[in-house]
Amino acid sequence: MTAQAKADAPTMVSPETGEPLTRGVRPFTVTYKGQSITVELPGWYPEGDGDGVLVGDDMAAADQALRELKERIDGLPSPGAIRRIRAKLKLSQRAAGAVFKVGPNAFDKYERGLVGPSGPTIQLLLLLDRHPELVGDLLQPT
């Protein structure tokens, strides 16, 4: 970075150390059950090494990497996989909530990564992903 670019870059003061921080990205490694993914993590960082300050959506890349690892290792569907399966079943979010016997806004929350589905919901999602023809059986009144 040129001297002029450094002078023009927005800064903030570290609440812990008092040193100036500039907006940037740094590599960050997310590890889950012995497997790792490295992502570029945005944040406010000091010159050289040192801990940064993360605000707002700065952790989104790390959160997404953790979801990917959990999907790969534990078979837990990511928000994107949940959305894909629901679309494959031709269900709206509200209709999926009714079929899976969860709240009417549950699939909105699952697909935005705000909460994860319960174990039985995950199992049913994965089963219907492999056998979408069974969704009709769940639409029948009990």
Side-chain angles (χ1 to χ4, degrees), residues 9-12 21-24 42-46 51-55 58:
T11 62
M12 74 177 285
L21 306 174
T22 19
R23 193 78 182 145
W44 294 91
Y45 295 103
D51 290 335
V53 173
L54 307 175
V55 296
D58 288 347

Side-chain angles (χ1 to χ4, degrees), residues 58-130:
D58 288 347
M59 285 298 295
D63 293 342
Q64 177 62 31
L66 180 59
R67 284 192 290 271
E68 288 174 22
L69 285 170
K70 286 182 174 184
E71 185 171 23
R72 184 185 323 151
I73 295 167
D74 295 337
L76 299 177
S78 67
I82 293 169
R83 185 177 306 107
R84 178 191 58 75
I85 295 167
R86 180 186 55 76
K88 179 180 182 177
L89 300 173
K90 297 180 174 67
L91 297 171
S92 68
Q93 289 179 335
R94 285 192 170 272
V99 167
F100 285 79
K101 306 288 190 244
V102 295
N105 298 318
F107 272 79
D108 174 61
K109 293 176 183 176
Y110 300 158
E111 292 175 17
R112 289 191 297 144
L114 299 177
V115 297
S118 67
T121 300
I122 291 169
Q123 292 298 93
L124 187 54
L125 267 170
L126 297 175
L127 177 67
L128 290 174
D129 188 27
R130 288 190 297 272

Side-chain angles (χ1 to χ4, degrees), residues 34-48:
Q35 291 191 27
S36 299
I37 296 177
T38 300
V39 297
E40 292 294 316
L41 194 62
W44 294 91
Y45 295 103
E47 178 122 4

Side-chain angles (χ1 to χ4, degrees), residues 3-16:
Q4 183 59 45
K6 269 188 188 178
D8 293 339
T11 62
M12 74 177 285
V13 176
S14 169
E16 291 182 14

